[in-house]
Amino acid sequence: MRSIYGLAWHNLNAHRVRSLLSVLAVILGVSVTIAGSIIIESVREGVLKSDELRVLMEGLISMLDPAMLFIGIAVMMAGGFLIFNTFGMAITQRRQQIGGLRALGMTQGQVMRVILAEAALLAVIGVVLGVVLSGVLGQVMVAFIKQIAGEMLAFGDAAPTLPVVVFAAVMGLTITLFSVLIPARRAARVAPLDALRKPEAAGVEGISRWKTALGALLLTALLAYVIAAPPGEWVTYPLDFTLTLLFIGLWLAGVGLVLPALISLAARLGKRLMPGTIGRLVTDNVQRARGRTSLTVFTLAFALLVLIGLTGFLKFFLLYGIGSSMKPAEEQNALFITRVDILNGWGATIALDLDSILLTEEELQAILDTVESSAYTVSSYFVVVPEISFLGDAYFSYMLDPTLARNTQSMFTFTEGDWDFALPIMEAGCGVLVVPAVAARHNAGLGDTISVTGRDGPLECTIAGIGSGVAGASIISDTVRDQITDMNPALVLVVPYADTDPVTFQAALDALVTTYPTLHTVQITGFMVVLEDSLDIVNVSLNAMLLLATFAAAFGVVNTMMMSMDERRHEFGLLRAVGTTRTQMRNLIISEAALLGIVGGVVGFLAGIGVLVIIVMTYGLNSIGVSQNLWAAALASVQPAAVMGFVGVIVAPMIASLAAWLPARGILREKPVAAIPRLQ
Amino acid sequence: MTAVLQAEKLSKQYHMGTVTVDALRGVDFHIEAGEFVAIMGPSGSGKSTLLHLLGGLDNPTSGDVLLDGRRYRGMSDDQLTLIRRRQIGFIFQFFNLLPTLTAAENVALPLVIDGKRPEPEHVSGLLALIGLGDRHDHKPHQLSGGQQQRVAIARALVTQPKIVLADEPTGNLDSQSGQAVLDLLRRACDDHDQTIIMVTHDHHAAATADRVVFLKDGSIVNTLDMNKTDGKTRTQTVAAVMADLEL
């Protein structure tokens, strides 16, 4: 060993299982992040066959990017908790050793650097293996999603992109090192005198009343506030996002603060349910080393909370946000006529390039001839104008004839302005109808001018209205069509007159699609079903990815139980020596883990529901101009999430018990005398 | 002879809840270069506290320690750490060897911590000196307790410190291993002019020293110059003083 950093390698090597668990956590975080991008790229490759189509549809698919990124970060954070806990416990166990090194002349800075070097080594190994394994995980996930998606989605070949790999690697390194900072500082502060003290197993520790009270106050106040005066009713972009993040952070902090008290409460309840010595030991043991026990339970709860929060948020945003923007059209029995057989799933676009999707002049004329006398129609051009895209800068916008759009009464719902204000602007030149988030992004209001990207250079457009467009898209008037696009419309929205005979109308549509087999009629109601099915697929896929966060949490339980058992070897030896059978010991250990799992499951379930309510009531939908009854939306979003959460409540104790059983086996095989430490 | 280590009116109080315990009460003490001093006393007499303060492992409530004329008071943690690293060698009761390192690596550890590249001959020479020349690559768990303590002694000597502090170095060993450790410490003092302070409960161990300082209730109550004591009755003399103290 030539430098103190050699100690880092020696320490990792000496505690291989602990190191392995930490590396696995980094691998999970990194590989999930990269695998998520592989899935999205695979969808891109499968669905988007031409560059033009790619440009047009990129916005839709890129909606998945933040979701996948979020999952990667969530898994890595769960891994971060594990690493924090692992190092925290390791420092506690190595206190005497570190004290010895301090006594021998190691400075606080040197101790800290050795610990950080250990973390950096783990992170580098985890990142490298995570990158290598991400390809396999990505392909497994794509195969899994293929199975559940059927014809709904199409997939192509995809490989991880360099920026994503770099991002995942930097994230893995950063979160690992950040997670170890506090334990490393603790290690640096170990006094040389600790070298002279014998390490002791943690006893039953008290609870900080003020922390519990603060946490309870935080949770109650937060919930009371968002229920009594939902910020979602007034908050606008970009404060909606910031405020939601802040409230989620406070909520998590509150959960963390009350968690030790909840574990104690569960222990007290458990004591009543499990009378006798074993029950007493189980309930006492979960109250020892509160810091690490709480963090382990928090990791479990966090994994479940993210599952519930994401499931519910997607339901809320896509169905109550994007979906509700289609309500006016749905209520008027609107339909659209397009070349894409969307009712058979997005996969129907596989065989199509852009030319195959766009309506020909002949088809367009035939559609108009067929329905003109019985319905309002508006031909919709899909364009990508970054400045008016509501999500990122690649989401599509509609280019429409404003008069026809007004006639349908389906394409835009105003929150500021109206058609009387908008129409003259849109007919005279470039007028845009945008969602509030777009207007706020430009710091512009009704009647203000913004510069957008045209085919031949910048184009000045006036904000003619602010509100909610179908599918969240903005609308740009077709008076500047030549300056924006040279493509044909992709669909015609058809809204039957109130007095149109539905039977005759349907017969005319049937005749149209018989004459032009390339055309398909899509009822908005049917499209909503497709949207919900798509959402289900996305949800299942995301949840499958998030299950990996639960794995990270399970590693945490393995690690905590392993540390705890190592520390309590002497106690176990004593219990065995005084006649406790292996079965009783096994029950003791598994019951402890199960109790932690139950608390983690229940807390994760309740905290997940809470976080979802906070998201819905705080984020609202003002940024996309949708006015919703937030309570109704919250309740409806909670339902599917609650099912997921309930599964978690059942599964968490099972995962925890299994995680405890693995390290318990080794100890239970030992003879009682082997567990009693001999004098060194 | 000059004092290499000096304690001036050294006091240490511990607060245990509402109770204040005086572990040391204004101890004045000095040790000369090349001297081997044993500190004895009943449990709770303050001997370990004195050793910790002399080694810069803890801060006194009042008073000061001077090593080679340099005062500990006012030194930063890093400055004290450098003193421990380069001028003091420690031997612990429980050895405190790093279990993942070999015997040679454990011996060389203080040099590595100091950013120096240990010379293999120097380390091998020390291992040979303690009689473990053939245990160079053995890990601590492959060594007996006595052998581990000898490795700890070699580690304490590797930086050629001004002073070696030993806290119950034989407390965890059988009598044969304990004697080997004491012989080593004696040789380090006699052959290499090493200054040694040893805290011990063992009369026989204390009798190996040049001087025995007796503590009771945080104060020095007696001192025996072992060089003036008949070799055959040294252990009995120490035992007699201790018996008086424990009455």
Side-chain angles (χ1 to χ4, degrees):
Chain A
M1 197 180 64
R2 293 184 171 181
S3 84
I4 54 167
Y5 298 108
L7 285 176
W9 175 250
H10 279 286
N11 286 334
L12 294 180
N13 207 23
H15 304 283
R16 287 196 195 100
V17 179
R18 191 186 300 168
S19 307
L20 179 70
L21 291 172
S22 299
V23 168
L24 277 174
V26 181
I27 290 174
L28 271 180
V30 171
S31 59
V32 167
T33 307
I34 300 173
S37 93
I38 292 176
I39 294 168
I40 297 170
E41 285 304 316
S42 175
V43 172
R44 279 197 180 99
E45 290 299 318
V47 174
L48 310 179
K49 288 293 184 189
S50 67
D51 287 345
E52 294 93 333
L53 195 58
R54 180 179 293 270
V55 169
L56 205 57
M57 301 286 281
E58 176 62 29
L60 276 174
I61 293 173
S62 64
M63 284 171 73
L64 288 172
D65 279 327
M68 288 295 185
L69 190 65
F70 171 77
I71 288 174
I73 293 172
V75 173
M76 193 62 234
M77 275 179 71
F81 291 144
L82 179 145
I83 292 165
F84 172 83
N85 220 2
T86 304
F87 272 81
M89 291 184 234
I91 301 304
T92 305
Q93 289 196 337
R94 278 158 52 190
R95 213 172 170 79
Q96 197 185 17
Q97 188 189 94
I98 294 168
L101 289 168
R102 293 274 291 121
L104 290 179
M106 202 177 240
T107 62
Q108 291 187 338
Q110 282 179 312
V111 172
M112 191 146 172
R113 286 197 291 278
V114 168
I115 304 290
L116 288 176
E118 284 179 36
L121 257 172
L122 288 178
V124 168
I125 296 169
V127 163
V128 170
L129 291 176
V131 170
V132 171
L133 293 174
S134 63
V136 178
L137 181 65
Q139 297 311 326
V140 169
M141 290 305 297
V142 167
F144 169 73
I145 299 169
K146 263 183 191 168
Q147 284 297 316
I148 56 167
E151 293 299 309
M152 286 295 293
L153 272 178
F155 297 88
D157 294 329
T161 58
L162 186 63
V164 171
V165 171
V166 171
F167 171 81
V170 170
M171 179 185 72
L173 283 167
T174 310
I175 292 186
T176 305
L177 288 176
F178 191 75
S179 306
V180 172
L181 267 184
I182 294 175
R185 278 172 62 90
R186 252 186 57 212
R189 287 178 183 168
V190 169
L193 272 180
D194 281 315
L196 308 170
R197 296 185 184 124
K198 287 194 79 175
E200 287 176 9
V204 174
E205 293 170 11
I207 298 166
S208 166
R209 285 172 191 272
W210 74 266
K211 281 185 187 169
T212 308
L214 180 68
L217 185 71
L218 203 57
L219 295 177
T220 315
L222 208 52
L223 217 47
Y225 173 62
V226 297
I227 289 171
E233 288 179 354
W234 55 266
V235 74
T236 53
Y237 176 91
L239 187 61
D240 52 356
F241 185 68
T242 315
L243 200 62
T244 307
L245 271 190
L246 174 71
F247 282 4
I248 292 174
L250 288 174
W251 181 257
L252 289 177
V255 170
L257 287 171
V258 298
L259 200 52
L262 293 177
I263 293 171
S264 267
L265 183 68
R268 257 182 271 158
L269 291 174
K271 207 175 278 185
R272 287 187 189 169
L273 295 171
M274 293 185 284
T277 312
I278 296 294
R280 168 68 193 269
L281 287 172
V282 168
T283 51
D284 279 353
N285 286 338
V286 296
Q287 296 180 81
R288 300 166 76 172
R290 279 198 190 280
R292 71 172 175 227
T293 308
S294 299
L295 196 60
T296 307
V297 173
F298 187 82
T299 312
L300 267 175
F302 177 76
L304 195 52
L305 176 148
V306 173
L307 269 172
I308 295 173
L310 193 67
T311 306
F313 177 70
L314 284 176
K315 175 94 177 169
F316 166 67
F317 190 73
L318 293 182
L319 287 187
Y320 285 84
I322 306 290
S324 76
S325 66
M326 298 183 184
K327 280 283 174 204
E330 191 183 5
E331 285 163 4
Q332 295 182 80
N333 295 320
L335 57 102
F336 53 86
I337 301 173
T338 168
R339 281 182 145 224
V340 182
D341 186 10
I342 200 77
L343 292 182
N344 281 325
W346 303 100
T349 57
I350 297 172
L352 304 176
D353 56 21
L354 188 61
D355 287 340
S356 316
I357 286 175
L358 300 178
L359 297 169
T360 63
E361 293 296 337
E362 185 190 343
E363 288 166 338
L364 195 56
Q365 196 53 54
I367 294 168
L368 297 179
D369 289 346
T370 304
V371 299
E372 213 162 30
S373 58
S374 49
Y376 297 112
T377 59
V378 58
S379 303
S380 305
Y381 299 84
F382 283 76
V383 294
V384 174
V385 182
E387 292 80 8
I388 58 172
S389 159
F390 98 107
L391 269 180
D393 57 5
Y395 198 71
F396 70 90
S397 301
Y398 301 108
M399 172 166 279
L400 305 169
D401 177 320
T403 310
L404 296 177
R406 182 188 65 172
N407 291 343
T408 64
Q409 293 294 322
S410 304
M411 296 300 291
F412 201 80
T413 307
F414 287 87
T415 53
E416 284 185 59
D418 53 26
W419 279 114
D420 291 339
F421 177 82
L423 215 49
I425 296 171
M426 297 181 82
E427 283 175 340
C430 182
V432 290
L433 305 175
V434 296
V435 296
V438 171
R441 208 166 66 207
H442 291 282
N443 200 20
L446 206 58
D448 289 345
T449 302
I450 59 173
S451 181
V452 304
T453 308
R455 289 168 66 200
D456 304 320
L459 190 63
E460 296 298 307
C461 295
T462 305
I463 296 181
I466 298 174
S468 154
V470 170
S474 299
I475 291 173
I476 188 164
S477 51
D478 69 351
T479 41
V480 288
R481 180 183 155 191
D482 292 344
Q483 295 171 68
I484 297 289
T485 182
D486 59 353
M487 293 189 280
N488 276 3
L491 62 85
V492 176
L493 181 76
V494 179
V495 181
Y497 298 148
D499 56 357
T500 295
D501 174 35
V503 178
T504 316
F505 184 62
Q506 188 58 49
L509 291 176
D510 290 345
L512 175 70
V513 296
T514 307
T515 312
Y516 293 93
T518 48
L519 295 181
H520 302 275
T521 59
V522 181
Q523 294 287 338
I524 295 292
T525 44
F527 180 69
M528 292 293 284
V529 172
V530 172
L531 193 65
E532 280 205 51
D533 287 348
S534 313
L535 176 59
D536 286 343
I537 294 166
V538 170
N539 248 335
V540 172
S541 312
L542 296 183
N543 287 338
M545 302 280 283
L546 275 174
L547 270 183
L548 297 173
T550 317
F551 281 148
F555 295 153
V557 178
V558 174
N559 184 51
T560 302
M561 295 308 291
M562 208 174 64
M563 290 267 193
S564 168
M565 276 172 233
D566 205 29
E567 246 181 44
R568 288 154 52 195
R569 239 182 165 80
H570 176 63
E571 284 176 28
F572 288 150
L574 190 68
L575 286 170
R576 293 274 291 119
V578 297
T580 312
T581 63
R582 283 202 171 95
T583 308
Q584 284 174 313
M585 290 298 298
R586 190 184 58 216
N587 291 345
L588 170 78
I589 293 164
I590 289 181
S591 302
E592 273 180 48
L595 191 57
L596 295 181
I598 290 169
V599 179
V602 172
V603 170
F605 176 69
L606 296 176
I609 299 291
V611 92
L612 180 54
V613 170
I614 285 174
I615 291 172
V616 172
M617 305 301 274
T618 308
Y619 189 71
L621 293 164
N622 291 329
S623 63
I624 55 169
V626 172
S627 174
Q628 271 283 353
N629 178 341
L630 292 179
W631 259 117
L635 286 176
S637 306
V638 158
Q639 283 168 16
V643 173
M644 175 59 64
F646 189 70
V647 172
V649 171
I650 307 286
V651 171
M654 293 162 70
I655 291 177
S657 304
L658 185 69
W661 171 234
L662 297 174
R665 288 172 60 202
I667 285 206
L668 294 181
R669 276 199 212 107
E670 289 180 351
K671 295 278 180 203
V673 71
I676 298 173
R678 274 165 280 176
L679 285 178
Q680 295 176 341
Chain B
M1 296 275 252
T2 52
V4 65
L5 190 68
Q6 197 175 344
E8 283 182 354
K9 297 190 173 16
L10 212 50
S11 293
K12 180 72 182 177
Q13 290 182 335
Y14 291 109
H15 300 282
M16 305 170 87
T18 54
V19 180
T20 301
V21 178
D22 285 304
L24 280 183
R25 302 164 190 258
V27 170
D28 284 309
F29 170 81
H30 74 276
I31 182 164
E32 288 166 359
E35 202 178 3
F36 185 169
V37 175
I39 301 173
M40 289 199 83
S43 291
S45 59
K47 52 190 186 300
S48 286
T49 303
L50 177 60
L51 193 79
H52 300 160
L53 295 178
L54 294 175
L57 295 175
D58 201 1
N59 297 322
T61 307
S62 64
D64 204 355
V65 176
L66 291 86
L67 179 67
D68 246 5
R70 286 183 67 197
R71 290 184 177 277
Y72 284 4
R73 185 167 290 276
M75 281 190 186
S76 67
D77 184 81
D78 277 358
Q79 285 172 315
L80 267 177
T81 303
L82 279 183
I83 295 242
R84 286 200 300 271
R85 183 190 293 175
R86 293 173 182 163
Q87 302 193 44
I88 300 174
F90 283 97
I91 301 166
F92 304 104
Q93 184 179 1
F94 294 104
F95 325 136
N96 283 61
L97 299 180
L98 292 192
T100 56
L101 304 186
T102 62
E105 286 172 328
N106 266 294
V107 170
L109 188 60
L111 295 173
V112 174
I113 290 173
D114 204 18
K116 292 173 182 155
R117 184 159 294 186
E119 287 173 22
E121 301 77 30
H122 179 46
V123 174
S124 299
L126 276 169
L127 281 170
L129 181 76
I130 60 169
L132 293 176
D134 56 343
R135 298 282 192 273
H136 196 272
D137 294 322
H138 282 56
K139 297 269 177 72
H141 71 271
Q142 296 169 310
L143 301 172
S144 69
Q147 288 171 328
Q148 287 187 52
Q149 192 60 300
R150 280 190 273 160
V151 172
I153 291 172
R155 182 180 64 185
L157 297 174
V158 75
T159 55
Q160 295 167 316
K162 283 201 158 47
I163 194 157
V164 170
L165 302 178
D167 188 10
E168 304 269 12
T170 58
N172 221 6
L173 303 176
D174 59 65
S175 57
Q176 198 179 348
S177 301
Q179 187 56 53
V181 163
L182 291 172
D183 289 346
L184 260 177
L185 292 174
R186 187 68 257 177
R187 273 170 51 205
C189 184
D190 294 341
D191 301 348
H192 302 280
D193 277 340
Q194 185 64 61
T195 311
I196 296 169
I197 303 178
M198 172 179 72
V199 163
T200 182
H201 271 107
D202 180 358
H203 309 150
H204 175 67
T208 315
D210 300 320
R211 180 158 58 110
V212 184
V213 174
F214 294 90
L215 282 176
K216 186 176 182 183
D217 298 332
S219 301
I220 295 176
V221 291
N222 203 346
T223 302
L224 277 181
D225 185 345
M226 303 308 290
N227 294 326
K228 293 178 182 167
T229 309
D230 180 5
K232 289 177 184 170
T233 59
R234 281 178 161 198
T235 304
Q236 290 93 319
T237 309
V238 172
V241 176
M242 272 303 290
D244 280 349
L245 290 180
E246 285 168 348
L247 277 178

